[in-house]
Amino acid sequence: MKKIKLSYICSDCGTNFPRWHGHCNICGMWNTISEIKLAKPSNHSKQKSSSKTENKIQILSDINLHKLPRLKSGFKELDRVLGGGIVPGATILIGGNPGTGKSTLLLQMISMLSEKTTALYVTGEESLQQIAMRASRLKLHKKHLKMLSETNITKICEIAKKEQLQVMIIDSIQVMRITELQSSPGSITQVRESAMALTHYAKQNNVTVFIVGHVTKDGTLAGPKILEHIVDCSILLDSSADSRFRMLRSKKNRFGAINELGVFSMTSYGLQEVHNPSAIFLSKEKEDIPGSSIMVLWEGTRPLLIEVQALVNRAQANNPRRISVGLEQNRLSLLLTILHKHADLEIINQDVFVNVVGGVKITETSADLAILIALLSSFKNKSLPKDTIIFGEVGLAGEIRPVPSGQERLKEASKHGFKKAIIPSANVQKNTTYSLKTYSVKKLSEAIKIIDKL
Ligand code: TYD
Ligand code: MG
């Protein structure tokens, strides 16, 4: 009898080891290495060797790009996150917490797609009746919607091959299984082998496969970082606490930019696109409030206006509190030290709270200046005019550094009716088409003077 081959894989970084260790010496994590049983030559590897398409060396410039028109999903927000539409033959992983709306999004998408393409929705979690009920409630076109309730990957691929599909949805990878493998569905072995089989199927038949993957409590994809290595695109559907808004963000994309953001709102008619997300992140408050400033973040390929709020108050205990939501704690400490040193502000003995409105997470340094000014505004209890936007990176010497795409950020602000902008002097351009009074600054001290005068 053939011995089953074992391997050990780190669920955090995906490294293979010949034997078990408690500590992964590649990514440094503990207790992340688990045993996987390697599949006996599985169906997909057999298919590979018996592939009818002949592979020969080609010159890159001779490759016909027109063979790859992208499909439109029906959701502009989703298309943008995918880099301009669905690429044929790609495998796309959609991750997210339970209940964020992954199944709803894909059901709505397939109902729009099935009018012009052949698409199949494979469900392993919900029954066909449940999906039919949801589709009726959402008033989706059901006429051409092909559904399959199955969890056996080999069978799914066999059935799908007969259908000449263009798009297939697998909901979800955690319940799929390959019967030759001993381990239970959801285990690393099953998830990895199922995803590999689906990827082979997608590439050989030029079918786009959407794979739904659940996210564990700590926000990583259950089972596998490994999944992210296998697929072409990995996108995450995220919801901020008690919010009806859902953010779709690409984490890996072989066909477009990453960190692209798509915004949806969950309504009683399913997910609706939010085409102008800046409007939802800005408060409708007409009055100027101390401790608030508006910045322009660059999200993927477009600017986004976002409000940041700060509260600075005398510490009640010896150990002042520093709490930030949507901003990295270390960045806040750094900004506070800059403020203390270069603005001569006695902020060390103050409690400091920073909140980025709308559950947005700041990953850019262009938000520095706006955060500093919000802190200052709260400390001095002096509000900024509501029609002012601020962006710029702040260096350790208190210098204001330029940020990429300055002109696009200003244009977006002007489009939303903002009248003034405090920006790095290196971002100022002579010929501009928008009406926005710009105050250019080189140092933090200059910015503070301008605010006092505003
Ligand atoms: P679902 O797509 O089942 O989430 P996932 O597949 O990511 O687990 O979404 C379920 C949630 O969405 C559920 O909490 C109810 C909510 N929802 C609405 O608010 N409106 C709707 O029209 C639908 C279909 C779902
Ligand atoms: Mg679901």
Side-chain angles (χ1 to χ4, degrees):
M1 206 175 99
K2 249 189 176 178
K3 228 177 135 186
I4 296 172
K5 240 184 143 187
L6 294 180
S7 179
Y8 298 85
I9 199 156
C10 170
S11 61
D12 196 60
C13 64
T15 314
N16 264 304
F17 295 93
R19 62 183 65 85
W20 188 84
H21 304 269
H23 176 239
C24 173
N25 54 12
I26 305 295
C27 67
M29 298 296 281
W30 287 89
N31 279 336
T32 49
I33 299 173
S34 50
E35 179 186 291
I36 64 162
K37 294 186 181 81
L38 293 184
K40 287 176 224 153
S42 61
N43 276 352
H44 59 265
S45 47
K46 276 185 212 158
Q47 285 160 7
K48 196 181 174 189
S49 52
S50 64
S51 168
K52 287 197 185 84
T53 50
E54 202 179 303
N55 294 329
K56 56 179 195 297
I57 295 173
Q58 292 187 45
I59 303 297
L60 198 55
S61 58
D62 294 346
I63 293 170
N64 187 1
L65 295 178
H66 301 299
K67 272 187 182 168
L68 280 177
R70 292 187 183 224
L71 272 176
K72 295 292 172 209
S73 69
F75 280 124
K76 281 197 182 121
E77 294 288 297
L78 177 62
D79 287 343
R80 216 197 32 257
V81 172
L82 291 175
I86 302 171
V87 176
T91 36
I92 299 159
L93 176 68
I94 299 203
N97 283 315
T100 39
K102 302 179 291 297
S103 306
T104 311
L105 178 74
L106 292 176
L107 188 64
Q108 285 180 263
M109 182 192 84
I110 199 173
S111 116
M112 292 187 273
L113 271 178
S114 60
E115 296 196 348
K116 47 183 196 273
T117 52
T118 34
L120 174 69
Y121 190 113
V122 184
T123 171
E125 290 192 345
E126 289 166 284
S127 69
L128 294 180
Q129 282 80 6
Q130 281 173 319
I131 296 180
M133 267 162 58
R134 179 183 297 188
S136 301
R137 203 160 51 77
L138 299 181
K139 300 196 170 59
L140 300 179
H141 299 284
K142 290 186 286 185
K143 199 125 190 253
H144 307 287
L145 241 170
K146 291 184 177 169
M147 308 294 297
L148 173 69
S149 176
E150 180 61 73
T151 54
N152 184 333
I153 288 286
T154 324
K155 273 193 196 160
I156 293 171
C157 291
E158 270 169 22
I159 296 170
K161 262 182 214 154
K162 290 182 205 141
E163 288 290 324
Q164 304 281 320
L165 295 181
Q166 283 171 283
V167 177
M168 179 159 79
I169 291 168
I170 301 288
D171 190 1
S172 69
I173 193 75
Q174 272 86 8
V175 296
M176 296 295 153
R177 66 198 159 89
I178 290 178
T179 38
E180 293 94 48
L181 297 173
Q182 305 295 316
S183 42
S184 57
S187 64
I188 291 190
T189 316
Q190 285 287 8
V191 166
R192 189 178 106 127
E193 292 294 321
S194 301
M196 297 249 264
L198 288 169
T199 309
H200 279 290
Y201 162 76
K203 300 281 175 261
Q204 282 191 338
N205 300 282
N206 215 24
V207 177
T208 308
V209 179
F210 283 85
I211 302 174
V212 174
H214 292 292
V215 165
T216 53
K217 250 194 224 153
D218 57 352
T220 51
L221 274 162
K225 191 69 160 201
I226 318 157
L227 260 184
E228 283 183 28
H229 291 299
I230 299 171
V231 298
D232 295 309
C233 301
S234 167
I235 54 184
L236 204 68
L237 187 68
D238 210 0
S239 64
S240 46
D242 336 311
S243 164
R244 63 197 163 96
F245 296 112
R246 303 284 186 270
M247 322 271 179
L248 198 62
R249 198 183 283 276
S250 59
K251 296 184 77 193
K252 166 184 175 178
N253 192 354
R254 290 191 176 138
F255 316 108
I258 58 156
N259 278 335
E260 190 67 71
L261 182 76
V263 184
F264 292 86
S265 92
M266 180 61 96
T267 65
S268 49
Y269 295 103
L271 286 163
Q272 306 285 325
E273 295 177 275
V274 177
H275 292 296
N276 185 5
S278 287
I280 62 169
F281 295 122
L282 297 176
S283 69
K284 308 277 177 295
E285 200 70 50
K286 287 277 177 291
E287 273 176 51
D288 304 339
I289 323 163
S292 157
S293 72
I294 314 262
M295 59 195 169
V296 194
L297 286 186
W298 195 254
E299 285 288 345
T301 54
R302 65 175 173 183
L304 208 57
L305 291 158
I306 292 179
E307 183 182 345
V308 58
Q309 295 181 319
L311 183 63
V312 180
N313 195 26
R314 253 185 79 97
Q316 303 304 316
N318 284 342
N319 232 354
R321 309 213 305 157
R322 271 103 178 78
I323 292 179
S324 60
V325 180
L327 173 73
E328 210 201 326
Q329 197 79 32
N330 287 342
R331 194 83 201 161
L332 176 62
S333 304
L334 186 137
L335 293 177
L336 286 174
T337 316
I338 293 174
L339 208 55
H340 180 69
K341 177 94 180 163
H342 298 288
D344 208 11
L345 216 64
E346 268 310 315
I347 208 157
I348 297 298
N349 57 355
Q350 305 277 332
D351 281 338
V352 175
F353 304 88
V354 171
N355 176 36
V356 185
V357 174
V360 177
K361 289 184 184 68
I362 295 180
T363 49
E364 275 197 295
T365 49
S366 72
D368 289 353
L369 188 59
I371 298 167
L372 280 186
I373 289 176
L375 288 165
L376 206 74
S377 153
S378 174
F379 184 76
K380 294 189 172 174
N381 204 22
K382 183 181 182 299
S383 53
L384 279 168
K386 264 251 160 244
D387 59 354
T388 312
I389 58 113
I390 304 163
F391 62 81
E393 180 181 334
V394 181
L396 292 185
E399 81 279 18
I400 311 294
R401 294 163 170 266
V403 300
S405 315
Q407 296 309 299
E408 285 83 352
R409 292 180 205 241
L410 289 171
K411 249 185 239 163
E412 177 76 4
S414 162
K415 213 169 77 189
H416 282 86
F418 285 84
K419 297 280 182 292
K420 302 179 197 113
I422 303 175
I423 60 170
S425 55
N427 275 118
V428 176
Q429 269 184 18
K430 274 195 185 135
N431 300 320
T432 52
T433 49
Y434 42 83
S435 56
L436 205 69
K437 182 161 174 48
T438 51
Y439 298 89
S440 62
V441 287
K442 281 200 176 100
K443 283 186 192 153
L444 181 59
S445 51
E446 291 173 25
I448 295 171
K449 268 185 212 150
I450 288 172
I451 289 157
D452 287 338
K453 274 188 261 165
L454 276 180

